[in-house]
Amino acid sequence: MADVPKASCIRLEPFIHQVGGHSSMLCLDEATVCKPLVKRELQFYETLPEAVSKFTPHFYGVIQVNVQTEEEDYVTLNATPPKFYKPISSSPTQRVRLRRTGSIEVNQDDHILFEEDSLDGETQPNNTSLALNPWVLKCHRDHLSAIINTATTQNFILLENVASQFTFPCILDLKMGTRQYGDADTLAKKQSKMVKVVSTTSAKLGVRVGGMQVYQTTTGRFLCRNKLYGRSLSVNGFSQALCKFLHNGKRIRNDVLPPLIKRLEELLEVLHRQEAVRFYTASLLLLYEGQDQFDSTECKGREENVPRKASISHFKFEEAIETKYDSPSKSSSSGPGNNNISPSAQDMESIVNAFEEERQRSERMRHRRSSSCVALNDILAGSSNLSLPSSPSPLQASVPTEPTVDVRIIDFAHSTHQGLADPVSYTGPDSGFIFGLENMISILKNIERDNG
């Protein structure tokens, strides 16, 4: 840092809309986020097939982040910008304060608030006034703990902030595929990942919830769920979770379904044409605008107090670190619909056999499907009986504007394709990812049909 004038550095803050993953995401400016550099992910972004690139965040290069300790054990994360970097407007006042202990201190601000749902659907009373998605607290605390005492600098990759186009970004993070480990992982890690697959919807659907936030027009807050919730879901519970993601407190957002389905089908078509690309451990982000155009009068007052680029607005809240995330086994072992299996509860050989059987069954089912994604009557029996709100307002027919939506693949730390010349090579498209994508499309079509 001695060689870099302090005035040339940009102070970074946590990205408030991170709903999943484990890396600490930071904001460089309104349109750009920073993510800790993983060599494999960097290589993938630098060489990914052009057809796939339009379904991933734009990659802008690498930046160095410097960790500095100030008075009273406060820590700042400062980025050394690229030579020709011109920042997009950002908040002139930095309000988030970080400590070496990993805690985050921010003064309370009620412009945008987050609530975290408990497994029984009730909002937890201790989390009714957070200014960040609660999962951000865990990721940022873990990241600070890892780097503060081990390094003064760390490289980050620069990526497009895909949430920046939304005022109230509703985000669903989906862990995709029937395989959740990379070729270079140890045997122990592969076994651990296989257990998570066979004990969750990943085996039966090729997809599971990794986290989500959905804006509620009734309260002006985001309701949040994390990956532990996603691991607890049954197949029908997964469908219910999608309904929850699409519900704004008043109604199912049926208006966002057609553009979301269209975008997913476009991605499916692209992936069917990809030879040897594997998105192992990758996630799929579904995003839509939470400001309901049919509730424009109610939302207008709130929007006047919120910057258009809400994804990087700098908020304040009292020090709040959720320690429950430190014990996933305890957090995920309660609640209805829990299907988790402890590795010590059964022989690993039977787990692996079950995993392989599910993969083979999934492959057979995939070949029976058409590209139009037929309904999941064979594995979603009873899904048409989901309890859904009544049909949308008749005003829908008179509003021609299509809501803003987006679909992006993220997290490529274990992804591969032919251009990387890896020791292990593959042929054909990624059947596990495609299987999950086909199921997602079918479930969304079922919701659209039942709520039409």
Coordinates of all heavy atoms in Angstrom, one line a residue, residues 192-251:
S192 N -18.7 -36.1 0.9 CA -19.5 -35.1 1.6 C -20.5 -34.5 0.7 O -21.7 -34.3 1.0 CB -18.7 -34.1 2.3 OG -19.4 -33.1 2.8
K193 N -20.0 -34.1 -0.5 CA -20.9 -33.5 -1.5 C -22.0 -34.4 -2.0 O -23.1 -34.0 -2.3 CB -20.1 -33.0 -2.7 CG -19.1 -31.9 -2.3 CD -19.8 -30.6 -1.9 CE -18.8 -29.5 -1.6 NZ -19.5 -28.2 -1.2
M194 N -21.6 -35.7 -2.2 CA -22.6 -36.7 -2.7 C -23.7 -36.9 -1.6 O -24.9 -37.1 -2.0 CB -21.9 -38.0 -3.0 CG -21.2 -38.0 -4.3 SD -20.6 -39.6 -4.9 CE -19.4 -40.0 -3.6
V195 N -23.4 -36.8 -0.4 CA -24.4 -37.0 0.7 C -25.4 -35.8 0.6 O -26.6 -36.1 0.7 CB -23.7 -37.0 2.1 CG1 -24.8 -36.8 3.2 CG2 -22.9 -38.3 2.3
K196 N -24.9 -34.6 0.3 CA -25.8 -33.5 0.2 C -26.7 -33.6 -1.0 O -27.9 -33.2 -1.0 CB -25.0 -32.2 0.1 CG -24.3 -31.7 1.4 CD -23.7 -30.3 1.2 CE -23.1 -29.8 2.5 NZ -21.9 -30.6 2.8
V197 N -26.2 -34.3 -2.1 CA -27.0 -34.5 -3.3 C -28.1 -35.5 -3.0 O -29.3 -35.2 -3.2 CB -26.1 -34.9 -4.4 CG1 -27.0 -35.4 -5.6 CG2 -25.3 -33.8 -4.9
V198 N -27.8 -36.7 -2.5 CA -28.8 -37.7 -2.3 C -29.8 -37.4 -1.2 O -30.8 -38.1 -1.2 CB -28.1 -39.1 -2.1 CG1 -27.2 -39.5 -3.2 CG2 -27.3 -39.1 -0.7
S199 N -29.4 -36.5 -0.3 CA -30.3 -36.2 0.8 C -31.2 -34.9 0.5 O -31.9 -34.5 1.4 CB -29.5 -36.0 2.1 OG -28.6 -35.0 2.0
T200 N -31.0 -34.3 -0.7 CA -31.8 -33.1 -1.0 C -32.5 -33.3 -2.3 O -32.4 -34.3 -3.0 CB -30.9 -31.9 -1.0 OG1 -29.9 -32.0 -2.1 CG2 -30.1 -31.7 0.3
T201 N -33.1 -32.2 -2.8 CA -33.8 -32.2 -4.1 C -32.8 -32.3 -5.2 O -33.2 -32.5 -6.4 CB -34.7 -31.0 -4.2 OG1 -33.9 -29.8 -4.1 CG2 -35.8 -31.0 -3.2
S202 N -31.5 -32.1 -5.0 CA -30.5 -32.2 -6.1 C -30.6 -33.5 -6.8 O -30.4 -33.6 -8.0 CB -29.1 -32.0 -5.5 OG -28.9 -30.6 -5.1
A203 N -30.8 -34.6 -6.1 CA -30.8 -36.0 -6.7 C -32.1 -36.2 -7.5 O -32.0 -36.7 -8.6 CB -30.7 -37.1 -5.6
K204 N -33.2 -35.8 -7.0 CA -34.5 -36.0 -7.7 C -34.8 -35.0 -8.7 O -35.5 -35.3 -9.7 CB -35.6 -36.1 -6.7 CG -35.5 -37.3 -5.8 CD -36.7 -37.4 -4.8 CE -36.6 -38.7 -3.9 NZ -37.7 -38.8 -3.0
L205 N -34.4 -33.7 -8.5 CA -34.7 -32.7 -9.5 C -33.5 -32.1 -10.2 O -33.7 -31.3 -11.1 CB -35.4 -31.5 -8.7 CG -36.8 -31.9 -8.1 CD1 -37.3 -30.7 -7.3 CD2 -37.8 -32.3 -9.1
G206 N -32.3 -32.3 -9.7 CA -31.1 -31.7 -10.3 C -31.0 -30.3 -9.9 O -30.3 -29.5 -10.6
V207 N -31.7 -29.8 -8.9 CA -31.6 -28.4 -8.4 C -32.1 -28.4 -7.0 O -32.9 -29.1 -6.5 CB -32.5 -27.6 -9.3 CG1 -33.9 -28.1 -9.4 CG2 -32.5 -26.1 -8.9
R208 N -31.5 -27.4 -6.2 CA -32.0 -27.1 -4.9 C -31.8 -25.7 -4.6 O -31.0 -25.0 -5.2 CB -31.3 -28.0 -3.8 CG -29.8 -27.7 -3.6 CD -29.3 -28.5 -2.4 NE -27.9 -28.1 -2.0 CZ -26.9 -28.8 -2.4 NH1 -27.0 -29.9 -3.1 NH2 -25.6 -28.5 -2.0
V209 N -32.5 -25.2 -3.6 CA -32.5 -23.8 -3.3 C -31.2 -23.5 -2.5 O -30.9 -24.2 -1.5 CB -33.7 -23.4 -2.4 CG1 -33.6 -21.9 -1.9 CG2 -35.0 -23.5 -3.3
G210 N -30.4 -22.5 -2.9 CA -29.2 -22.1 -2.2 C -29.4 -20.8 -1.5 O -28.5 -20.4 -0.7
G211 N -30.5 -20.1 -1.6 CA -30.8 -18.9 -0.9 C -31.8 -18.1 -1.8 O -31.9 -18.2 -3.0
M212 N -32.5 -17.1 -1.1 CA -33.4 -16.3 -1.8 C -33.8 -15.1 -1.0 O -33.7 -15.1 0.2 CB -34.6 -17.0 -2.3 CG -35.6 -17.4 -1.3 SD -37.1 -18.2 -2.0 CE -38.1 -18.5 -0.6
Q213 N -34.2 -14.0 -1.7 CA -34.9 -12.9 -1.1 C -36.0 -12.5 -2.0 O -35.8 -12.5 -3.2 CB -33.9 -11.8 -0.8 CG -33.3 -11.1 -2.1 CD -32.4 -9.9 -1.8 OE1 -31.6 -10.0 -0.8 NE2 -32.5 -8.8 -2.5
V214 N -37.1 -12.1 -1.4 CA -38.3 -11.7 -2.2 C -38.9 -10.5 -1.6 O -39.1 -10.4 -0.4 CB -39.3 -12.8 -2.4 CG1 -39.7 -13.4 -1.0 CG2 -40.5 -12.4 -3.2
Y215 N -39.1 -9.4 -2.4 CA -39.6 -8.2 -1.8 C -41.1 -8.3 -1.6 O -41.9 -8.8 -2.4 CB -39.4 -7.1 -2.8 CG -39.8 -5.7 -2.3 CD1 -39.1 -5.1 -1.3 CD2 -40.9 -5.0 -2.9 CE1 -39.4 -3.8 -0.9 CE2 -41.3 -3.8 -2.4 CZ -40.6 -3.2 -1.4 OH -40.9 -1.9 -0.9
Q216 N -41.5 -7.8 -0.4 CA -42.9 -7.8 0.0 C -43.5 -6.4 0.0 O -43.1 -5.5 0.7 CB -43.0 -8.4 1.5 CG -42.4 -9.8 1.7 CD -43.2 -10.8 0.9 OE1 -44.3 -11.3 1.4 NE2 -42.7 -11.3 -0.2
T217 N -44.5 -6.2 -0.9 CA -45.0 -4.9 -1.1 C -45.9 -4.5 0.1 O -46.1 -3.3 0.4 CB -45.9 -4.8 -2.3 OG1 -47.0 -5.8 -2.2 CG2 -45.1 -5.1 -3.6
T218 N -46.3 -5.5 0.9 CA -47.1 -5.2 2.1 C -46.3 -4.6 3.2 O -46.8 -3.9 4.1 CB -47.8 -6.5 2.6 OG1 -46.8 -7.5 2.8 CG2 -48.8 -7.0 1.6
T219 N -45.0 -4.9 3.3 CA -44.2 -4.4 4.4 C -43.0 -3.5 3.9 O -42.4 -2.8 4.8 CB -43.5 -5.6 5.2 OG1 -42.7 -6.4 4.3 CG2 -44.6 -6.5 5.7
G220 N -42.7 -3.6 2.6 CA -41.5 -2.8 2.2 C -40.2 -3.5 2.6 O -39.2 -2.8 2.6
R221 N -40.2 -4.8 2.8 CA -39.0 -5.5 3.2 C -38.8 -6.7 2.4 O -39.8 -7.2 1.7 CB -39.1 -5.9 4.7 CG -39.1 -4.7 5.7 CD -39.3 -5.2 7.1 NE -39.2 -4.1 8.0 CZ -39.4 -4.3 9.4 NH1 -39.6 -5.5 9.9 NH2 -39.3 -3.2 10.2
F222 N -37.6 -7.2 2.4 CA -37.3 -8.5 1.7 C -37.4 -9.6 2.7 O -36.8 -9.5 3.8 CB -35.8 -8.4 1.2 CG -35.6 -7.5 0.0 CD1 -35.1 -6.3 0.2 CD2 -35.9 -8.0 -1.3 CE1 -34.9 -5.4 -0.9 CE2 -35.7 -7.2 -2.4 CZ -35.2 -5.9 -2.2
L223 N -38.0 -10.7 2.4 CA -38.0 -11.9 3.1 C -36.9 -12.8 2.6 O -36.8 -12.9 1.4 CB -39.3 -12.6 3.1 CG -40.5 -12.0 3.8 CD1 -41.8 -12.9 3.7 CD2 -40.2 -11.7 5.2
C224 N -36.1 -13.3 3.5 CA -34.9 -14.1 3.0 C -34.9 -15.5 3.6 O -35.4 -15.8 4.7 CB -33.6 -13.4 3.6 SG -33.5 -11.6 3.2
R225 N -34.3 -16.4 2.8 CA -34.1 -17.8 3.1 C -32.7 -18.1 2.7 O -32.2 -17.7 1.7 CB -35.1 -18.7 2.5 CG -36.5 -18.6 3.1 CD -36.6 -19.4 4.4 NE -37.9 -19.4 5.0 CZ -38.9 -20.2 4.8 NH1 -38.7 -21.2 3.9 NH2 -40.0 -20.2 5.5
N226 N -32.0 -19.1 3.5 CA -30.7 -19.4 3.1 C -30.6 -20.9 2.7 O -31.6 -21.6 2.5 CB -29.7 -19.2 4.3 CG -30.2 -19.9 5.6 OD1 -30.3 -21.2 5.5 ND2 -30.4 -19.3 6.7
K227 N -29.3 -21.3 2.5 CA -29.1 -22.7 1.9 C -29.5 -23.8 2.8 O -29.9 -24.9 2.4 CB -27.6 -22.9 1.5 CG -26.7 -22.9 2.7 CD -25.3 -23.1 2.2 CE -24.3 -23.2 3.4 NZ -22.9 -23.4 2.9
L228 N -29.6 -23.5 4.2 CA -30.0 -24.6 5.1 C -31.5 -24.9 4.9 O -31.9 -26.0 5.0 CB -29.7 -24.1 6.5 CG -28.3 -23.7 6.8 CD1 -28.1 -23.3 8.3 CD2 -27.3 -24.9 6.5
Y229 N -32.2 -23.8 4.6 CA -33.6 -24.0 4.3 C -33.8 -24.8 3.0 O -34.6 -25.7 2.9 CB -34.3 -22.6 4.1 CG -35.6 -22.6 3.3 CD1 -36.8 -23.0 3.9 CD2 -35.6 -22.2 2.0 CE1 -38.0 -23.0 3.2 CE2 -36.8 -22.1 1.3 CZ -38.0 -22.5 1.9 OH -39.1 -22.5 1.2
G230 N -32.9 -24.5 2.0 CA -33.0 -25.3 0.8 C -32.7 -26.7 0.9 O -33.3 -27.6 0.3
R231 N -31.8 -27.1 1.8 CA -31.4 -28.5 2.0 C -32.6 -29.2 2.7 O -32.6 -30.5 2.7 CB -30.2 -28.6 2.9 CG -28.9 -28.1 2.1 CD -27.7 -28.2 3.1 NE -26.5 -27.6 2.5 CZ -25.4 -27.4 3.1 NH1 -25.3 -27.7 4.4 NH2 -24.4 -26.8 2.5
S232 N -33.5 -28.5 3.4 CA -34.5 -29.2 4.2 C -35.7 -29.5 3.3 O -36.6 -30.2 3.8 CB -35.0 -28.3 5.3 OG -35.7 -27.2 4.8
L233 N -35.8 -29.1 2.1 CA -37.0 -29.2 1.3 C -37.2 -30.6 0.6 O -36.2 -31.2 0.2 CB -37.0 -28.1 0.2 CG -37.0 -26.7 0.6 CD1 -36.8 -25.8 -0.6 CD2 -38.3 -26.3 1.4
S234 N -38.4 -31.0 0.6 CA -38.8 -32.2 -0.2 C -39.0 -31.7 -1.6 O -38.9 -30.5 -1.9 CB -40.0 -32.8 0.4 OG -41.1 -31.9 0.3
V235 N -39.4 -32.6 -2.5 CA -39.7 -32.3 -3.9 C -40.9 -31.3 -3.9 O -40.8 -30.3 -4.6 CB -40.0 -33.5 -4.7 CG1 -40.5 -33.1 -6.1 CG2 -38.7 -34.3 -4.9
N236 N -42.0 -31.6 -3.3 CA -43.1 -30.7 -3.2 C -42.8 -29.5 -2.5 O -43.3 -28.4 -2.8 CB -44.3 -31.4 -2.6 CG -45.0 -32.4 -3.5 OD1 -44.9 -32.3 -4.7 ND2 -45.7 -33.4 -3.0
G237 N -41.9 -29.6 -1.4 CA -41.5 -28.4 -0.7 C -40.7 -27.4 -1.6 O -40.8 -26.2 -1.5
F238 N -40.0 -28.0 -2.6 CA -39.2 -27.1 -3.5 C -40.2 -26.3 -4.4 O -40.0 -25.1 -4.6 CB -38.3 -28.0 -4.4 CG -37.6 -27.2 -5.4 CD1 -36.3 -26.7 -5.1 CD2 -38.0 -27.1 -6.7 CE1 -35.6 -26.0 -6.0 CE2 -37.3 -26.4 -7.7 CZ -36.1 -25.8 -7.3
S239 N -41.3 -27.0 -4.8 CA -42.3 -26.2 -5.6 C -42.9 -25.1 -4.8 O -43.2 -24.0 -5.3 CB -43.3 -27.2 -6.1 OG -42.8 -28.2 -7.0
Q240 N -43.2 -25.4 -3.5 CA -43.8 -24.4 -2.7 C -42.8 -23.3 -2.5 O -43.2 -22.1 -2.4 CB -44.1 -25.0 -1.3 CG -45.2 -26.1 -1.4 CD -46.6 -25.4 -1.4 OE1 -46.8 -24.2 -1.6 NE2 -47.6 -26.2 -1.3
A241 N -41.5 -23.6 -2.4 CA -40.5 -22.5 -2.2 C -40.5 -21.6 -3.4 O -40.3 -20.4 -3.3 CB -39.1 -23.2 -2.0
L242 N -40.6 -22.2 -4.6 CA -40.7 -21.3 -5.8 C -41.9 -20.4 -5.8 O -41.9 -19.3 -6.2 CB -40.7 -22.2 -7.1 CG -39.5 -22.9 -7.4 CD1 -39.5 -23.5 -8.8 CD2 -38.2 -22.1 -7.3
C243 N -43.0 -20.9 -5.3 CA -44.2 -20.1 -5.1 C -44.0 -19.0 -4.2 O -44.4 -17.8 -4.4 CB -45.4 -20.9 -4.6 SG -46.1 -22.1 -5.8
K244 N -43.2 -19.3 -3.1 CA -42.9 -18.2 -2.1 C -42.0 -17.2 -2.8 O -42.2 -16.0 -2.5 CB -42.2 -18.9 -0.9 CG -42.0 -17.9 0.2 CD -41.4 -18.6 1.4 CE -41.4 -17.7 2.6 NZ -42.7 -17.3 3.1
F245 N -41.1 -17.6 -3.6 CA -40.2 -16.7 -4.2 C -41.0 -15.7 -5.2 O -40.6 -14.6 -5.4 CB -39.1 -17.4 -5.0 CG -38.3 -16.6 -5.9 CD1 -37.4 -15.6 -5.4 CD2 -38.4 -16.7 -7.3 CE1 -36.7 -14.8 -6.3 CE2 -37.6 -15.9 -8.2 CZ -36.8 -15.0 -7.6
L246 N -42.0 -16.2 -5.7 CA -42.8 -15.4 -6.7 C -44.0 -14.6 -6.0 O -44.7 -13.9 -6.7 CB -43.4 -16.3 -7.7 CG -42.4 -17.0 -8.6 CD1 -43.1 -18.2 -9.4 CD2 -41.9 -16.0 -9.6
H247 N -44.1 -14.8 -4.7 CA -45.2 -14.1 -4.0 C -44.7 -12.8 -3.3 O -43.8 -12.8 -2.5 CB -45.8 -15.1 -2.9 CG -47.2 -14.7 -2.5 ND1 -47.5 -13.6 -1.7 CD2 -48.4 -15.3 -2.8 CE1 -48.8 -13.6 -1.5 NE2 -49.4 -14.6 -2.2
N248 N -45.4 -11.7 -3.5 CA -45.0 -10.4 -3.0 C -45.7 -10.0 -1.8 O -45.7 -8.8 -1.4 CB -45.1 -9.3 -4.1 CG -46.6 -9.1 -4.5 OD1 -47.5 -9.6 -3.9 ND2 -46.8 -8.2 -5.5
G249 N -46.4 -10.9 -1.1 CA -47.2 -10.6 0.1 C -48.6 -10.4 -0.2 O -49.5 -10.5 0.7
K250 N -49.0 -10.1 -1.5 CA -50.4 -10.0 -1.9 C -50.8 -11.0 -3.0 O -51.9 -11.5 -2.9 CB -50.6 -8.6 -2.5 CG -50.6 -7.5 -1.5 CD -51.0 -6.2 -2.2 CE -51.1 -5.0 -1.2 NZ -51.5 -3.7 -1.8
R251 N -49.9 -11.4 -3.9 CA -50.2 -12.2 -4.9 C -49.0 -12.9 -5.5 O -47.9 -12.4 -5.3 CB -51.0 -11.5 -6.1 CG -50.0 -10.5 -6.8 CD -50.8 -9.7 -7.9 NE -49.9 -8.9 -8.7 CZ -49.4 -9.3 -9.9 NH1 -49.6 -10.5 -10.3 NH2 -48.6 -8.5 -10.5

